[in-house]
Amino acid sequence: MDAGGTDGPRDDRGEGGGVRTALTGLTTRGRSFLAAGIAAAACAYVLGQSDLLRVGLLLGVLPLACATVLYRTRYRVAGSRRLSPERVPAGSEARVHLRVDNVSRMPTGLLMLQDRVPYVLGPRPRFVLDRVEPGGRREVSYRVRSDLRGRYPLGPLQLRLTDPFGLCELTRSFSTHDTLTVIPRVEALPPVRLGGEAKGYGEGRQRSLALAGDDDVIPRGYRHGDDLRRVHWRSTARYGELMVRREEQPQRARCTVLLDTRGLAYEGAGPDSPFEWAVSGAASVLVHMLERGFSVRLVTDTGDSVPGEGTDGFAGSGQGTADAAGLMLDTLAVIDHSDGTDLSPAYEVLRGGGEGLLVAFFGDLDEEQAAVAARMRQRGGGAVAFVLDGGDWAREPADVPGALDRGGDRLRMLREAGWTAVGVPHGATLGELWRLADRERTALAAAGGEGTR
């Protein structure tokens, strides 16, 4: 991404502020020279020493002359910035490449290059560039890293000009800037079969329709151009006209990821907080399901979804998979706590969402909100809930096998409603809990099969 192109420093010269700007650029050495010159000139006037007056004039005029020449210097310099990569997971590094081109016919003097970056990305980078010949270029780079997801502006790029004596420095700023997107951490998940219902109905009707490819047996009237091999002779004899089988419109398997963003449901802040774990978990499930070919959508407790998302979510096959994943990760990069107190808006959205797999990440649930969450499960699809308890996260990291027993009545309410509910202890990884949820679903399915027999 070329950020600057032929972007050059902004020229802040004005009719009334030119002298003031030049004088403010004097360094400590330049101000000392000017003060010494004034003092020497005053002493020469009092003592009547003409030689001392010449020394004072030299000391006073030299910094003023350097400031004037530097201020009037018109370097034509183009700057550009390139991010590699433009989207980086939290905790990973990105490299920023800066390029300065001298597009004028005269060489530059000593240049000091400085880029503005937020403090969370690290210290402000500074570089010293030697003389740049006409038509020449200089390239430098630096690294940035953030443990906190978000969108961070980079720039504008600043160029500091200095004279050979170090008496004056002037700063020029470029006009363009870029944005670095720090997305949540995405964990690779094992390919388990969580799409089925809790009582063992296979992988769900939506998945079977997407993979079957069989023709719909409902016939329709023959149209010019239809393949005669699709003629349905039994319907033709019944209706007295030529009938053909409809071509099935394959339905893709659906997965909805629900993220609880209520501020009162989570305790703490920072990269290791339970809310950041939930955001990272939602991102991991979204990417995993897209790679498996599901149509995926993201819903929050407020009922909001990703801008540009269709009614069935984003399709998870073809060339649009990376774009859909990028759009969802960009949304999760800036998601924050909501002011909501209940899960009712999300329930209203999910109630008419049809069948499919539902994966939810809940914070602390009281009895009322646990009842609302229990009603979210659809009859035609599986439902997996990861419940984060702030009390558990305040203690030392616990073993993952005990996750099924955490949460007490809340998890029990969800399981009785058909959810595969798993408590999330501090220090657990989503991959471990993902396998644990699959084992729990398998056990429930086996128990349901035994009860049926």
Side-chain angles (χ1 to χ4, degrees), residues 252-277:
R252 189 175 303 279
R254 299 177 184 176
C255 176
T256 300
V257 176
L258 171 62
L259 177 61
D260 182 8
T261 63
R262 296 173 300 144
L264 54 82
Y266 299 93
E267 296 181 3
D272 297 328
S273 64
F275 180 67
E276 292 301 324
W277 193 99

Side-chain angles (χ1 to χ4, degrees), residues 344-362:
S344 298
Y347 169 70
E348 295 297 331
V349 173
L350 296 176
R351 185 172 60 176
E355 303 172 350
L357 175 64
L358 174 60
V359 182
F361 293 86
F362 294 118

Side-chain angles (χ1 to χ4, degrees), residues 233-443:
W233 297 108
R234 182 179 301 177
S235 298
T236 300
R238 178 179 178 182
Y239 293 103
E241 61 176 323
L242 200 59
M243 306 291 290
V244 296
R245 293 188 299 269
R246 295 176 185 265
E247 293 184 357
E248 181 195 337
Q249 301 297 326
Q251 300 184 44
R252 189 175 303 279
R254 299 177 184 176
C255 176
T256 300
V257 176
L258 171 62
L259 177 61
D260 182 8
T261 63
R262 296 173 300 144
L264 54 82
Y266 299 93
E267 296 181 3
D272 297 328
S273 64
F275 180 67
E276 292 301 324
W277 193 99
V279 174
S280 177
S284 302
V285 173
L286 288 170
V287 173
H288 177 71
M289 289 302 179
L290 280 172
E291 291 176 348
R292 292 189 62 188
F294 279 67
S295 291
V296 180
R297 66 170 178 164
L298 172 66
V299 179
T300 65
D301 59 293
T302 60
D304 297 332
S305 58
V306 179
E309 185 180 90
T311 56
D312 293 336
F314 291 101
S317 63
Q319 299 179 352
T321 301
D323 295 337
L327 184 57
M328 288 189 169
L329 292 177
D330 288 345
T331 301
L332 290 175
V334 296
I335 200 168
D336 202 355
H337 291 293
S338 69
D339 298 329
T341 58
D342 58 66
L343 300 171
S344 298
Y347 169 70
E348 295 297 331
V349 173
L350 296 176
R351 185 172 60 176
E355 303 172 350
L357 175 64
L358 174 60
V359 182
F361 293 86
F362 294 118
D364 285 332
L365 296 174
D366 54 22
E367 184 176 355
E368 179 183 356
Q369 299 309 312
V372 176
R375 296 195 302 268
M376 291 181 181
R377 180 186 174 274
Q378 302 292 329
R379 290 182 176 271
V384 183
F386 299 96
V387 183
L388 293 89
D389 188 350
D392 289 340
W393 279 72
R395 296 190 289 267
E396 293 297 325
D399 294 333
V400 174
L404 287 174
D405 299 329
R406 296 177 178 272
D409 296 338
R410 297 165 301 167
L411 296 183
R412 189 177 303 111
M413 292 178 61
L414 294 176
R415 291 168 188 154
E416 291 175 352
W419 285 81
T420 302
V422 179
V424 180
H426 186 201
T429 63
L430 181 60
E432 296 172 319
L433 299 178
W434 194 250
R435 293 188 182 93
L436 184 62
D438 179 50
R439 292 196 297 267
E440 174 70 4
R441 185 201 67 84
T442 304

Side-chain angles (χ1 to χ4, degrees), residues 33 49 62 95 118 125 129 139 170 186 209 227 289 315 393 398:
F33 267 62
Q49 297 291 330
L62 183 60
R95 182 168 290 276
L129 304 181
E139 295 183 3
L170 295 180
V186 176
L209 283 176
D227 191 351
M289 289 302 179
W393 279 72

